[in-house]
């Protein structure tokens, strides 16, 4: 794969960004233009909307853990990251409601000043224990966690090495960091090694996703851990899609491979398995203390609402008490990987509950999405720059609470739409 998943300026996008005056390269001072020209030239949006194929920002009117109601019509949701199916669990809902009664709806400030509660700190203790690290630090989103951690740690003389398919928040964290960013092709660890060998940077940080969000493949952590040791680098794993899912206790990719000691920074989100919103990093105590006082996205942004914290704590309890949930999500993932493959779909390199169906062409992907939607299946249409150009896809993801009947229904609809559109 040659292009970054997060190439925000990729010309191959279905919604290309017009070249702005400041991207025109060196030359005479550019003629003054209206800053909003780029917005006026962004006509592709209206074209796709006029075709009735626009798949984004769809307003949901009601939902259950695996169903959604859109425009009065209910469908099976296979486009969320509710891996443990806990977003509507009565225990989680009750915990969130109780926290509102106890603390109100918001902290109205940063943790640094007035917005820290004992709920935030309880999550940190629980996550340090779950991940096997000395300490953890809670941020308001996973995105902000990557921004804050990478930019605080990678100084002017340092370098950060990232997989080209790492999440956008990793890419943006690197943009904010003072040091050099070095990218390697997805999963190409020979290229990573060559770049580490030639690097003259002081400190080196390797950042990889544990599970890649649009591919559903698992990183080759054993080999990366070897490179970390060989080149004296530090290693961060963004475990947004692995926490609660991978590993014997749901502690993520490091636990899955038995390499907790080799991963210096375990980063995660609460917006998936933990059915809430927020993010965290787990690491040794001195690093957490440093980040607490240097991560700008932590210090200068309001903290997670108490209801969101209480939901996370309830989810961690349930993860520990009900290991069958993790087993169910894997059972459902296997059923759908096999089911979609045996229908003839290309599911890429999926090894997890994220199962893409690669279509290729943008418009065909939108058409496919629309027909799924019309037939009661809500999935995600993903085009460049979120995936490499010409690898547009329908991204599906499964939950512990999808029933066998729902999954058979989804397979049936995929078969009909896929045949109708000539994809299989
Ligand atoms: N990392 C990865 C790999 C993700 O998929 C996401 C969310 N899509 C994030 C980070 C950001 O997490 P959050 O939703 O909590 O901002």
């Amino acid at each position: 794969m040659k292009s970054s998943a997060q190439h925000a300026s990729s010309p191959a996008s279905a919604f290309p960004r017009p070249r702005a005056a400041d991207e025109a390269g060196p030359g005479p001072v550019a003629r003054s233009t209206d800053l909003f020209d780029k917005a006026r030239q962004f006509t592709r949006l209206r074209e796709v909307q006029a075709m009735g194929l626009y798949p984004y920002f769809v307003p949901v009117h009601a939902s259950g853990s695996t169903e959604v109601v859109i425009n009065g019509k209910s469908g099976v949701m296979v486009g969320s990251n509710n891996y443990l199916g806990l977003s509507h669990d009565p225990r989680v809902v009750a915990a969130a409601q109780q926290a509102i009664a106890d603390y109100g709806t918001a902290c109205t400030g940063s943790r640094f000043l007035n917005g820290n509660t004992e709920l935030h700190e309880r999550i940190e203790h629980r996550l340090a224990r779950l991940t096997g690290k000395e300490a953890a630090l809670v941020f308001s989103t996973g995105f902000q966690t990557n921004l804050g951690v990478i930019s605080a740690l990678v100084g002017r003389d340092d370098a950060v090495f990232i997989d080209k398919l790492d999440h956008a928040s990793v890419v943006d964290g690197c943009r904010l960091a003072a040091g050099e960013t070095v990218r390697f092709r997805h999963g190409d660890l020979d290229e990573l090694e060559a770049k580490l060998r030639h690097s003259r940077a002081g400190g080196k940080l390797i950042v990889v996703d544990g599970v890649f969000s649009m591919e559903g493949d698992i990183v080759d952590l054993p080999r990366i851990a070897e490179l970390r040791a060989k080149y004296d680098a530090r290693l961060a794993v963004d475990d947004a899609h692995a926490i609660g899912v991978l590993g014997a206790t749901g502690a993520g990719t490091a636990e899955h491979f038995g390499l907790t000691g080799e991963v210096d920074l375990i980063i995660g989100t609460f917006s998936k398995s933990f059915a809430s919103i927020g993010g965290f990093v787990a690491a040794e105590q001195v690093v957490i203390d440093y980040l607490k006082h240097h991560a700008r996205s932590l210090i200068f942004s309001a903290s997670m609402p108490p209801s969101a914290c209480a939901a996370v704590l309830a989810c961690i309890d349930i993860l520990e008490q009900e290991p069958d949930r993790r087993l169910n999500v894997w059972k459902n993932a296997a059923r759908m990987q096999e089911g979609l493959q045996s229908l003839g779909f290309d599911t890429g390199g999926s090894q997890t509950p994220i199962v893409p169906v690669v279509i290729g062409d943008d418009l065909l992907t939108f058409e496919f999405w629309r027909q799924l939607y019309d037939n009661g299946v809500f999935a995600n249409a993903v085009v460049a720059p979120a995936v490499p150009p010409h690898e547009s896809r329908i991204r599906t993801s499964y939950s512990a609470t999808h029933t066998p009947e729902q999954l058979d229904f989804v397979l049936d609809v995929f078969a009909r739409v896929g045949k109708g559109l000539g994809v299989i």
Side-chain angles (χ1 to χ4, degrees), residues 81 141-144 146 167 169-170 209 211 213 238 240-241 268-272 277-279:
N81 305 292
T141 66
F143 202 108
Q144 284 175 273
N146 277 325
H167 190 256
S169 52
V170 172
D209 287 8
V211 171
S213 56
D238 177 346
H241 297 274
T269 175
F270 304 140
S271 66
K272 305 186 197 303
I277 187 143

Side-chain angles (χ1 to χ4, degrees), residues 27-372:
V29 175
R31 186 175 52 83
S32 170
T33 54
D34 180 0
L35 189 79
F36 289 174
D37 280 351
K38 54 179 86 58
R40 292 200 183 83
Q41 287 159 18
F42 181 51
T43 52
R44 185 76 172 132
L45 168 66
R46 307 261 174 267
E47 288 161 26
V48 176
Q49 283 172 331
M51 285 187 258
L53 298 180
Y54 181 69
Y56 305 120
F57 296 98
V58 177
V60 169
H61 297 106
S63 60
S65 84
T66 53
E67 310 97 50
V68 273
V69 179
I70 296 168
N71 287 331
K73 195 167 154 260
S74 71
V76 179
M77 170 56 93
V78 292
S80 92
N81 305 292
N82 190 14
Y83 297 120
L84 300 177
L86 291 174
S87 58
H88 296 67
D89 186 285
R91 295 162 291 181
V92 179
V93 173
Q97 284 168 337
Q98 186 60 49
I100 292 180
D102 293 344
Y103 296 90
T105 52
C107 295
T108 60
S110 151
R111 293 191 64 199
F112 195 68
L113 297 175
N114 63 301
N116 192 31
T117 69
E118 58 92 25
L119 297 179
H120 295 87
E121 299 200 347
R122 266 167 56 201
I123 298 179
E124 291 173 346
H125 290 130
R126 297 290 296 277
L127 287 175
R129 210 168 66 196
L130 177 71
T131 56
K133 294 289 169 196
E134 280 177 10
L137 182 62
V138 163
F139 288 65
S140 300
T141 66
F143 202 108
Q144 284 175 273
T145 310
N146 277 325
L147 295 186
V149 170
I150 298 171
S151 62
L153 289 174
V154 180
R156 196 183 310 282
D157 298 326
D158 304 326
V160 52
F161 298 77
I162 59 170
D163 186 297
K164 284 189 177 175
L165 294 192
D166 278 351
H167 190 256
S169 52
V170 172
V171 175
D172 287 2
C174 296
R175 285 180 178 156
L176 289 177
E180 186 194 2
T181 300
V182 181
R183 291 142 47 95
F184 57 94
R185 280 184 296 272
H186 179 51
D188 187 342
L189 302 186
D190 292 336
E191 187 183 4
L192 169 60
E193 171 149 25
K195 291 189 166 173
L196 283 165
R197 194 185 308 121
H198 291 117
S199 172
R200 297 173 159 270
K204 301 182 191 73
L205 175 67
I206 303 167
V207 188
V208 285
D209 287 8
V211 171
F212 287 86
S213 56
M214 297 298 146
E215 319 288 315
D217 56 334
I218 303 173
V219 73
D220 180 356
L221 198 59
R223 171 100 197 271
I224 292 184
E226 278 172 29
L227 298 179
R228 163 192 176 272
K230 188 166 172 189
Y231 295 97
D232 288 326
R234 293 290 181 181
L235 172 58
V237 174
D238 177 346
D239 252 355
H241 297 274
I243 288 287
V245 177
L246 250 63
T249 66
T253 311
E255 184 186 44
H256 173 77
F257 286 108
L259 290 169
T260 299
E262 280 74 10
V263 178
D264 301 288
L265 300 148
I266 296 178
I267 293 168
T269 175
F270 304 140
S271 66
K272 305 186 197 303
S273 285
F274 292 155
S276 184
I277 187 143
F280 72 92
V281 54
E284 57 184 275
Q285 184 72 57
V286 285
V287 175
I288 295 298
D289 290 342
Y290 178 81
L291 290 172
K292 255 176 145 163
H293 298 89
H294 292 83
R296 291 163 64 85
S297 60
L298 174 84
I299 297 168
F300 297 105
S301 186
S303 62
M304 281 172 72
S307 52
C309 295
V312 173
L313 287 166
C315 289
I316 298 175
D317 285 342
I318 296 171
L319 174 69
E320 287 175 3
Q321 291 156 9
E322 298 178 6
D324 278 1
R325 281 186 183 263
R326 271 191 338 92
L327 303 182
N328 273 347
V329 75
W330 283 104
K331 206 165 79 190
N332 286 345
R335 184 190 187 103
M336 295 310 285
Q337 282 165 9
E338 281 158 28
L340 289 164
Q341 280 163 15
S342 65
L343 286 171
F345 288 110
D346 172 4
T347 59
S350 170
Q351 300 170 281
T352 65
I354 299 171
V355 188
V357 167
V358 181
I359 308 284
D361 177 71
D362 288 354
L363 271 188
L364 186 57
T365 302
F366 292 154
E367 181 66 46
F368 202 114
W369 173 86
R370 176 69 208 221
Q371 292 199 19
L372 290 174

